[in-house]
Amino acid sequence: MAAIGSLIFCTSCGNLLSASRGSEKNILKCDCCGSENPDHPPRTITTTTKPSDFPSLLRQKLSIVQTVERHKVQTEKIDTNTDCPKCGIRGVRYSEVQQRSADEGSTILFNCVCGERWSVNN
């Protein structure tokens, strides 16, 4: 009998033997030619794998997802063409958000230094 990794072959005919088919005394018998090997030592095969060994679309999607903390993202811009309706200052901060479905326009949120807030739906 010859072993390659966890596979055991009959040296007489080359048939692949099943390790689980050995008797209590660990005698493997070839089903093809009938030869036996009583001297075959018992083996413990241990294999280790990494998640990257088995690629998965779900695992790839999960690794793409990023966590973003809202207070660390600068989304406001200054619109130099808009005046505040309360104080009249030109150049109001704004941010654009998608509050409705994707096929509808976005919402522009305006914030003035005086504290006035309003929104415009596009």
Side-chain angles (χ1 to χ4, degrees):
M1 307 295 160
I4 300 174
S6 61
L7 302 176
I8 303 170
F9 298 92
C10 175
T11 52
S12 300
C13 67
N15 185 37
L16 178 63
L17 304 175
S18 174
S20 63
R21 299 188 81 176
S23 67
E24 305 171 347
K25 298 178 182 175
N26 202 29
I27 297 174
L28 295 177
K29 183 176 181 180
C30 179
D31 292 334
C32 191
C33 69
S35 66
E36 295 181 354
N37 183 3
D39 299 325
H40 187 69
R43 314 167 67 114
T44 301
I45 307 293
T46 305
T47 59
T48 56
T49 61
K50 302 175 289 207
S52 60
D53 292 340
F54 299 96
S56 161
L57 291 176
L58 178 61
R59 188 175 292 120
Q60 289 173 358
K61 287 179 183 178
L62 291 175
S63 66
I64 293 171
V65 175
Q66 298 177 355
T67 304
V68 178
E69 295 177 13
R70 185 176 183 157
H71 66 278
K72 292 184 178 180
V73 177
Q74 181 64 24
T75 58
E76 286 190 338
K77 300 174 185 169
I78 297 177
D79 185 0
T80 57
N81 298 324
T82 304
D83 298 334
C84 174
K86 183 178 178 183
C87 68
I89 292 178
R90 188 173 207 94
V92 181
R93 292 189 179 276
Y94 74 95
S95 58
E96 186 175 3
V97 294
Q98 186 70 36
Q99 293 181 327
R100 298 169 289 166
S101 61
D103 63 337
E104 296 183 29
S106 58
T107 302
I108 309 294
L109 303 172
F110 291 96
N111 296 314
C112 183
V113 291
C114 71
E116 181 71 11
R117 293 178 161 205
W118 71 97
S119 64
V120 176
N121 293 328
N122 286 340

